[in-house]
Amino acid sequence: MQTNSSSTSDRQIIIAALVLSLGGAVALGFGRFAYALLLEPMRTDLNWSYAQAGLIGSANAIGYLVGTMLVGFAVARLGAPLTVRIALVLTSLSLLLTGLLSLFPALLVLRILTGLGGGLIYVGGATVVMNRSGTAGRPPLGLYYSGPGIGIAISGLAVPPLLASLQQDGWRTIWLGMGLIGLVALVLMEPFLRTAEAHARASGMMPGRARPVASDYGHIWPLMLSFFIYGIGYIGYMTFIIAFMQAQGAAPALVQWFWGGLGLAAMMGGALWVPVIGRLGPRYGQAIIMSMLTLAALLPLLAPQTWSYALSALLFGGSFLSIVTAVTSEIRRRLPPERWALVTGHAVALFALGQLIGPVLTGLIADLPGGLAYGMMLSAGALALATGVALIKR
């Protein structure tokens, strides 16, 4: 009977992780990454310069950084389930309003709010999954962190044909649709958030003030530093790989399937890497994943052909979300539960800071003689450096 009860509980946690991953699909898959697909029609319709379009993208990253810095405080005050609930409402409404408004300052604020909600959802949802699974065993974090991959796959496969079939301002309809999907996702997640709240009350894990302890960071600083450097390299690839492919003459259909395939690989990669992280430990697991990402970033440069683009999408998509799993697993393994959200938020904030720096560095190098290829080399070099840093012994 005990085994059956344990199996039932494991299944419930797995289902909860999958449903809660919808928050990441909306907040990051839609809220952040879909903008790359909608940037050009928005720029044309609203008469933006490229600088304005870039600022809109940076606004989301700034909001995400703020969200990750605040998530520890929010979880301590409100609890992780309520934090996720409020943040998903904020994100969904900001997506809806993005499709309704036109003034640049208003859209700038909305993109900041979307990023803010994304940071709160992504870390807050992970805390729900970790708390729900207790301190024994590994939670299905890989399944939870597949959420952005779901959003990337859906947007990558659906947005280009929708833009082609809708009128010039079809981007508005797509933003509205993504906002509505966010509200539907909240309805689907609500029973699991309520269960998590009941579990927290029963186990005594109620909201309370968590304070950082210096020794916490002494245990995990190499992984956090590696995570920061990874942010620089990862976002450079994600920002410029499409432009690189187009500069090499890639067909529009190849670009569409590259983005959709990257998202599909991300959906599956999280679960595939969890056993590796569990067997080798987060440090070696993170280093191996970083090595795979370095190879994926180099492939288009070494052989700019259809097969290399496809393999790059498969390797990069199947690996990039699992870095978060490795870092979170190490935090969970070494620190007490009351500080999981706080320290995870700080680790993800470092990652978000890397994402702010990465596009600027990559863009500056891409403007030099040699073009995008050198910018992409910077991304691969940063990923290789992050691999070595992850192996530093504490």
Side-chain angles (χ1 to χ4, degrees), residues 32 54-66 68-69 228-236 239-240 348-364:
R32 170 175 293 184
L55 185 58
I56 288 287
S58 296
N60 181 265
I62 292 170
Y64 185 75
L65 174 61
V66 174
T68 57
M69 291 297 295
F228 165 71
I229 300 170
Y230 161 70
I232 296 174
Y234 138 84
I235 198 62
T239 301
F240 290 101
V348 177
L350 278 176
F351 166 64
L353 182 61
Q355 290 187 94
L356 283 174
I357 297 171
V360 177
L361 287 178
T362 307
L364 287 173

Side-chain angles (χ1 to χ4, degrees), residues 245-271:
M245 291 174 62
Q246 291 170 336
Q248 298 296 319
L254 177 59
V255 172
Q256 175 187 346
W257 284 104
F258 174 92
W259 196 255
L262 188 147
L264 290 171
M267 290 171 55
M268 299 178 289

Side-chain angles (χ1 to χ4, degrees), residues 38-48 99 101-102 167-172:
L38 296 169
L39 183 153
E40 192 58 32
M42 290 179 69
R43 192 186 70 84
T44 302
D45 192 34
L46 299 175
N47 296 314
W48 286 350
L101 302 181
S102 298
Q167 300 297 322
Q168 183 180 1
D169 61 351
W171 59 269
R172 295 185 182 275

Side-chain angles (χ1 to χ4, degrees), residues 32 132 164 218 322 336 347:
R32 170 175 293 184
R132 182 65 183 85
S322 297

Side-chain angles (χ1 to χ4, degrees), residues 16 33 64 100 132 136 164 172 180 307 328 336 341:
F33 295 115
Y64 185 75
L100 295 175
R132 182 65 183 85
R172 295 185 182 275
L180 291 174
W307 70 267
T328 309

Side-chain angles (χ1 to χ4, degrees), residues 12-31 33 84-85 88 91-92 117-118 120-130 132 139-154 181-182 184-193 263 266-271 321 325:
Q12 291 172 346
I13 294 170
I14 289 172
I15 293 171
L18 287 171
V19 175
L20 291 173
S21 73
L22 296 176
V26 173
L28 298 182
F30 292 167
F33 295 115
V84 171
R85 193 180 287 123
L88 188 50
T91 299
S92 300
L120 293 171
I121 290 168
Y122 205 43
V123 179
T127 305
V128 172
V129 174
M130 289 190 287
R132 182 65 183 85
L141 285 172
L143 296 175
Y144 170 75
Y145 285 130
S146 69
I150 297 172
I152 293 171
I154 293 173
I181 292 173
V184 172
L186 178 59
V187 173
L188 295 175
M189 291 164 58
E190 181 61 25
F192 298 93
L193 294 174
M267 290 171 55
M268 299 178 289
L321 294 177
T325 305

